[in-house]
Amino acid sequence: GNHIFCWSGKIMLGSDAHLFILTNVLIVSGVLFHLLAILPRSPHTATAPTYTFVTVIFLLTQSCLWLAAATDPGIIPPVSSPTRPHPPSNNNTNNKEEEEAPVGSVLGYRFCSTCNIF
């Protein structure tokens, strides 16, 4: 539906792309604030290993966020077939009304054309 394509269609973001962009902005601004405002004011923690650790965690967070956003396929039908599968049988029930319920009724099964399942 409302997918956003980037880099000539090489990356597709879902309908919640605005939240993905907001998440990126919040992570980047939080890390920049920590690196530029918090760490320089605390002399005991403003060391090279601390800056390295924060940078590595930031890069790991960003790479996992982008991987999740770019590789989530959404809904994939289990069978990409134009034929419709048969509805499941209710032979193991003792209720006669439930056995005779037609497909799509209140007690019967409904077919999902997106997932191709009942």
Side-chain angles (χ1 to χ4, degrees), residues 1-47:
N2 299 330
H3 298 294
I4 295 176
F5 295 92
C6 303
W7 292 286
S8 302
K10 291 180 176 65
I11 293 182
M12 179 183 78
L13 301 175
S15 58
D16 59 346
H18 59 285
L19 293 175
F20 174 69
I21 294 168
L22 177 66
T23 304
N24 277 291
V25 168
L26 289 173
I27 291 172
V28 169
S29 61
V31 169
L32 287 177
F33 179 73
H34 186 71
L35 288 174
L36 301 175
I38 302 296
L39 284 180
R41 293 173 192 242
S42 57
H44 300 294
T45 59
T47 61

Side-chain angles (χ1 to χ4, degrees), residues 43-118:
H44 300 294
T45 59
T47 61
T50 305
Y51 284 99
T52 305
F53 178 74
V54 171
T55 304
V56 167
I57 294 297
F58 166 72
L59 293 175
L60 181 66
T61 302
Q62 285 298 101
S63 62
C64 289
L65 179 65
W66 275 87
L67 280 173
T71 59
D72 181 18
I75 297 174
I76 296 178
V79 180
S80 59
S81 172
T83 61
R84 189 172 177 169
H86 297 291
S89 63
N90 288 334
N91 293 338
N92 59 354
T93 62
N94 294 332
N95 188 353
K96 189 167 180 85
E97 289 178 9
E98 190 174 329
E99 286 181 15
E100 297 174 0
V103 174
S105 73
V106 176
L107 298 175
Y109 295 95
R110 294 185 61 188
F111 182 73
C112 177
S113 59
T114 305
C115 301
N116 201 20
I117 60 172
F118 280 95

